[in-house]
Amino acid sequence: MTTGRQLLTNITSEGQLEFSMVEVDVPSPGKGEVLVQIQASPINPSDMWPMFGPADLSAATLEYSDDRKVMTAPVHKSMLPIVRSRLDQALPIGNEGAGTVVEAGEGAEALLGKTVALLSGACYAEYCCVPAMSCLPLHEGTTALQAASSFVNPLTALSMVETMKMEGHKALIHTAAASNLGQMLNKICIADGVDLINIVRKQEQVDVLEEIGAKYIVNSSSDTFRADLTAAIDATGATIAFDATGGGTLVSDILHAMEMVLSKDATGFNTYGSPTLKQVYIYGGLDVSPTVLNRSYGLCWSVSAYLLTHFLQRVGMEKAGELRQRVADELTTTFASNYTAVLSLKEAMTPEVINSYVAKKTGEKYLIDPSKAD
């Protein structure tokens, strides 16, 4: 039987993260399945909690020899209840990737030899066996590198616009807007004629978005941030936002600015604020501090969590297929991704490198190529 290298993550009940590279048996694909040789798999923010959980990565050490390849880091005992469902289990990681179909089961023969993108949860490996329906066939000439990030960021960006439309809003707000996902969202909105307000933290991020044609950009580090945000909402009528930061007062600031615009012409008693729903979805956790809501925006508002998989379940297979096809059609334009570095499996386990990619810096995105020499 063929074997291949794979990264696994385990948090022990004794309080230790074990992030290891192991040799595993490669299964033969069954009916409707394909075996993909992985050539590119991105490290998304959504991969990092499964990879490391609440481990103290500042104390990480790497042991790498012929017999043992593992990065270890302590997990404080008080954090173990948070991850109790995964304790003492060596679990695969890597949400998405791309590569070549090297074996195909019955009914999936048409994909044999093709380069495909796939959604798996086990893509940090040399080989991955998945249902053919979880693969995205690519246009001729598209490389695995170009296709590596075909699911998480592109479909999340598309889902934000679709959610806006389904819920009756006419414009939207996005935070951490100069990110890889944020730039995709701008390109979608420009192409589809949707007004988008971009919230960033630095002037360099303003420059990035201006270069791709973004119209409404507000800098949260500016002294005039609240006034600028209110003016942008007044110009666009945005009443829905998607927040990647999670912590602090940013969600509250957005809701407050929405209410300021919606109630600007109110007269007499306005005890409960505008009757128009103000919606903020939190889909990320770049700021791990508590979300603070200073309730100064009436009583018609909602703050909810947002997850791509829930959206896809909501819209069904037909709509999800349409969105996937758009990604395939625009993979080298709207949904193009750039990478800071391409890592081998060993490099992805190295503490110094881990500290670089877990920083989640805007404009920096890392990729794993399991075939790259260590």
Side-chain angles (χ1 to χ4, degrees), residues 38-57:
I38 303 296
Q39 296 157 323
S41 182
I43 304 174
N44 294 312
S46 58
D47 290 302
M48 294 180 192
W49 179 259
M51 290 167 79
F52 307 122
D56 179 6
L57 296 176

Side-chain angles (χ1 to χ4, degrees), residues 87-165:
L87 293 179
D88 300 316
Q89 301 169 69
L91 301 171
I93 39 179
N95 283 326
E96 65 178 326
T100 303
V101 176
V102 293
E103 288 186 41
E106 180 185 347
E109 294 89 350
L111 291 179
L112 189 61
K114 303 286 188 182
T115 299
V116 298
L118 64 151
L119 193 63
S120 162
C123 284
Y124 297 160
E126 291 184 297
Y127 296 94
C128 191
C129 189
V130 295
M133 65 180 298
S134 70
C135 295
L136 177 64
L138 306 170
H139 291 296
E140 191 71 30
T142 304
T143 67
L145 180 66
Q146 292 170 325
S149 298
S150 293
F151 288 94
V152 177
N153 282 351
L155 289 179
T156 301
L158 285 169
S159 76
M160 291 175 178
V161 177
E162 293 299 320
T163 298
M164 178 204 75
K165 294 175 181 177

